[in-house]
Amino acid sequence: MPAQDFSPGLAIQGFTPPLRLSGFKLIAFDMDSTLINIECVDEIAGAVGLKDEVAAITEAAMRGEIADYKESLRRRVALLRGVTVADMELVYTTQLQLNPGAEKLVRACQAAGLKTLLVSGGFTFFTDRIRDRLGIDFTRSNVLEIESGPNCGQLTGRMVNQPWGDICDGAEKRKMLLETCARLGISPKQAIAMGDGANDLPMMGEAGLSVAYHAKPKVREQAMVQINEGGLDRLLEVLA
C-alpha cells in the first residue's frame, strides 16, 4: 500500500490516525541519525583522516546495499585503530546533538507510561551518555576495545564480545526488542520502533507501529509512518 500524505513532510500507510499513545507500552529508538544528528563511527574516523572512507561504507550499509552488516561494521571499526578516547570525547562534546524533537518525544512517551529502549549498531561510549541524558530504560550497543599498556587510551580496531553476542546488528535489534517486550509482559504490537537505516527494519517489522525518520528509501517504503521533514516529535501528530 503506498503511503498517503498526512501533512507536509509526514506520510502514513496501513492505519488511520490518530492512534492512542497510551495504547503502546514501549518505544524503541535507533541512535545514529535517528535520535542523534550524526553517524558516530564516521565522525570518530575523522580523527584519523578516514571519515570519507568509513562514511561510504556506512551509507551503503544503511541503504541495505551491504548484506553482511556485521562484516561492514568490523571493516569500519578496524579503520579506527589509533583513535583515542579523547578524540571520541571531542566528537561527543562538539559534534553530537539530539535531533530536533527528540527530547520532547521521549518525555511525552515517558509521561504516557511507555518504557524506552535504545538499540544501536553504534557504541556504548555514546549510547550510555544518551541513555543517562534522556533517562532511557534499556540499551543495547557495541563496545569498542581500548588498548592497555603503552598505547593506553587508544582504540585497537576491534570490538569486545558481550554476554548476548558480538555485534548489535539488525537481527540483534529485533531480538532485543522482543526480549524487552517479554520482560515487560507485553506484545510486540504494543511497541513503537523508530529508525532510519536498513538494519532497523527487522525490529520495525515486529513493532505495532514502525516509524522512519528522515530515512533511506528502503526504510521509508516499509514503515507505517514516514517523518520526512521536521523533528522526531512529529510522531505525536498521529498519536492522540
Side-chain angles (χ1 to χ4, degrees):
M1 180 187 300
Q4 302 294 314
D5 290 338
F6 180 63
S7 65
L10 189 67
I12 62 169
Q13 59 183 344
F15 72 100
T16 301
L19 298 174
R20 294 190 63 82
L21 182 58
S22 59
F24 295 94
K25 303 299 181 186
L26 174 70
I27 185 165
F29 296 98
D30 169 53
M31 183 177 72
D32 294 53
S33 298
T34 300
L35 204 55
I36 66 172
N37 65 319
I38 60 173
E39 292 286 340
C40 291
V41 67
D42 299 352
E43 302 306 327
I44 297 169
V48 284
L50 294 172
K51 179 177 177 178
D52 289 348
E53 184 175 347
V54 169
I57 302 171
T58 299
E59 176 69 11
M62 293 303 99
R63 292 179 67 89
E65 296 165 0
I66 295 177
D68 190 339
Y69 177 86
K70 287 188 177 185
E71 182 55 31
S72 82
L73 186 59
R74 289 190 188 100
R75 284 169 57 197
R76 286 175 281 165
V77 169
L79 295 170
L80 304 182
R81 183 172 183 178
V83 170
T84 68
V85 172
D87 292 328
M88 294 196 293
E89 183 70 33
L90 198 60
V91 169
Y92 180 77
T93 57
T94 66
Q95 296 172 260
L96 186 153
Q97 298 177 20
L98 293 175
N99 267 328
E103 186 161 9
K104 181 178 178 181
L105 176 59
V106 169
R107 300 300 177 224
C109 290
Q110 291 168 334
L114 280 72
K115 295 295 186 181
T116 48
L117 167 64
L118 178 57
V119 276
S120 175
F123 312 114
T124 53
F125 185 89
F126 301 99
T127 57
D128 286 357
R129 293 165 185 232
I130 298 300
R131 174 199 65 201
D132 295 345
R133 186 168 168 181
L134 293 174
I136 287 173
D137 297 294
F138 310 103
T139 62
R140 179 150 294 177
S141 58
N142 304 302
V143 179
L144 291 167
E145 186 178 64
I146 298 174
E147 293 270 14
S148 56
N151 295 319
C152 181
Q154 293 185 6
L155 299 185
T156 67
R158 296 185 297 270
M159 288 169 283
V160 179
N161 287 349
Q162 299 181 71
W164 48 262
D166 55 352
I167 290 175
C168 185
D169 61 353
E172 188 60 37
K173 289 187 177 194
R174 174 184 178 274
K175 178 184 168 190
M176 183 59 177
L177 177 74
L178 295 175
E179 286 180 355
T180 304
C181 288
R183 179 175 179 177
L184 296 173
I186 65 172
S187 164
K189 299 309 174 188
Q190 293 175 286
I192 301 168
M194 300 188 72
D196 73 296
N199 63 328
D200 297 313
L201 287 171
M203 73 167 179
M204 290 170 66
E206 295 289 347
L209 184 66
S210 56
V211 185
Y213 179 72
H214 293 249
K216 305 305 180 189
K218 186 175 181 179
V219 181
R220 292 199 304 268
E221 289 169 6
Q222 298 184 42
M224 297 169 69
V225 178
Q226 300 176 20
I227 301 174
N228 301 319
E229 297 176 12
L232 285 128
D233 57 324
R234 294 206 67 191
L235 179 60
L236 300 173
E237 295 177 31
V238 299
L239 293 170

